[in-house]
């Protein structure tokens, strides 16, 4: 209950953050002007907190919310094509209750998995600045500390998330090797901590560029998620080839 209350309070604080003027201006401008396809939506237009159960043993770390995805719906990877790919894979592996994620009230539930990002506001051109990344880091550190009693494995999507997350793991109590491990798809690194070791997995980001070009295929994504779920001691759905 303490863990659940702590994460709920953290999510509320994240949603009220206004620390980065450029990001505040951008997310609110997008929420006002909207995209024609979503003209009837009331955009969230705020920082997007993490999503998933408070006792998750597997964490998925992205980059930042999409302007017309999470910034519109208020939920991580919800309402955009990157989310379509991620949630379809999570469902196929058995870690999500459904394959689609279109709105915050669509009934989607994650099984033992939480999804977060190192930057909680939608950035212009999907590119946060290093200063914005560092300003947002304390939120991820706090989230990791709250998840530490149950967390066993993490999948980090993309090199930006990897570089942003490693200092946060150190800040939350895990020991990050030196030199810092390089990002690669399929990379696996064990971080030692005060409670238990944490298995860290690298995966190409589920961006349209990666999925449209075949750099990241659904099978590649499912493979990383299955391996990470096993490390997190989560049951998965049998592979159907």
């Amino acid at each position: 209950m303490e863990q659940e209350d702590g994460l709920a309070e953290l999510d509320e604080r994240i949603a009220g953050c206004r620390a980065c003027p450029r990001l505040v201006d951008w997310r609110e401008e997008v929420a006002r002007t909207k995209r024609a396809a979503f003209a009837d939506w009331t955009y969230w237009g705020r920082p997007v907190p993490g999503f998933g159960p408070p006792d998750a043993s597997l964490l998925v770390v992205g980059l930042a919310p999409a302007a017309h995805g999470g910034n519109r719906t208020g939920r991580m990877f919800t309402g955009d094509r990157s989310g379509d790919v991620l949630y379809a894979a999570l469902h196929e592996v058995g870690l999500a209750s459904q394959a689609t994620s279109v709105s915050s009230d669509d009934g989607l539930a994650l099984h033992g998995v939480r999804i977060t990002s190192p930057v909680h506001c939608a950035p212009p051109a999907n590119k946060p600045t290093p200063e914005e990344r560092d300003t947002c880091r304390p939120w991820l550190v706090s989230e990791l500390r709250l998840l530490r009693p149950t967390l066993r494995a993490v999948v980090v999507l993309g090199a930006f998330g990897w570089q942003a997350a490693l200092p946060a793991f150190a800040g939350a109590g895990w020991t990050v090797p030196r030199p810092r491990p390089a990002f690669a798809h399929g990379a696996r690194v064990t971080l030692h901590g005060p409670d238990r070791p944490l298995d860290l997995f690298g995966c190409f980001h589920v961006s349209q560029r990666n999925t449209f070009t075949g750099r990241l295929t659904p099978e590649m994504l499912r493979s990383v998620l299955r391996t990470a779920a096993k490390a997190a001691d989560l049951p998965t759905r049998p592979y159907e080839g």
Side-chain angles (χ1 to χ4, degrees):
M1 182 62 71
E2 182 179 348
Q3 189 175 5
E4 182 176 357
D5 291 345
L7 275 169
E9 180 183 350
L10 178 67
D11 290 346
E12 185 175 344
R13 291 171 57 208
I14 288 172
C17 182
R18 301 182 64 84
C20 299
R22 187 182 80 112
L23 297 187
V24 171
D25 290 346
W26 172 250
R27 79 192 191 210
E28 294 181 354
E29 173 66 17
V30 169
R32 282 193 299 271
T33 58
K34 307 181 181 182
R35 178 176 283 173
F38 306 120
D40 59 342
W41 274 77
T42 299
Y43 274 53
W44 172 255
R46 301 161 66 190
V48 181
F51 167 58
D55 59 349
S57 56
L58 174 60
L59 183 68
V60 176
V61 178
L63 191 163
H68 301 281
N71 188 58
R72 171 172 60 91
T73 63
R75 193 171 72 189
M76 286 285 171
F77 283 104
T78 297
D80 60 51
R81 291 183 177 178
S82 294
D84 292 344
V85 173
L86 177 60
Y87 285 111
L90 287 167
H91 180 255
E92 288 187 53
V93 172
L95 300 175
S97 63
Q98 60 193 46
T100 57
S101 178
V102 296
S103 67
S104 60
D105 59 356
D106 60 9
L108 172 67
L110 298 180
H111 307 316
V113 181
R114 185 172 172 89
I115 300 177
T116 193
S117 63
V119 176
H120 287 276
C121 291
N126 292 321
K127 293 181 179 179
T129 66
E131 181 181 4
E132 289 161 351
R133 174 200 64 197
D134 294 346
T135 298
C136 209
R137 182 177 298 143
W139 294 127
L140 181 55
V141 172
S142 295
E143 189 169 15
L144 288 168
R145 285 175 175 162
L146 287 166
L147 291 169
R148 203 168 67 187
T150 56
L151 193 62
R152 296 177 180 271
V154 180
V155 173
V156 181
L157 302 173
F160 181 95
W162 185 272
Q163 294 163 1
L166 288 177
F169 290 122
W174 284 280
T175 301
V176 176
R178 291 184 178 274
R180 287 181 179 173
F183 171 79
H185 181 83
R188 180 172 184 170
V189 178
T190 299
L191 308 181
H192 295 282
D195 302 307
R196 66 175 64 84
L198 183 70
D199 287 313
L200 180 63
F201 298 86
C203 179
F204 289 141
H205 197 278
V206 289
S207 66
Q208 291 185 53
R209 176 181 296 179
N210 286 341
T211 56
F212 284 3
T213 61
R215 189 180 191 219
L216 178 67
T217 66
E219 176 53 35
M220 289 168 65
L221 177 57
R222 290 194 299 266
S223 178
V224 173
L225 290 173
R226 284 186 184 279
T227 304
K230 183 177 180 180
D233 200 25
L234 290 174
T236 58
R237 185 175 292 134
Y239 174 75
E240 297 179 4

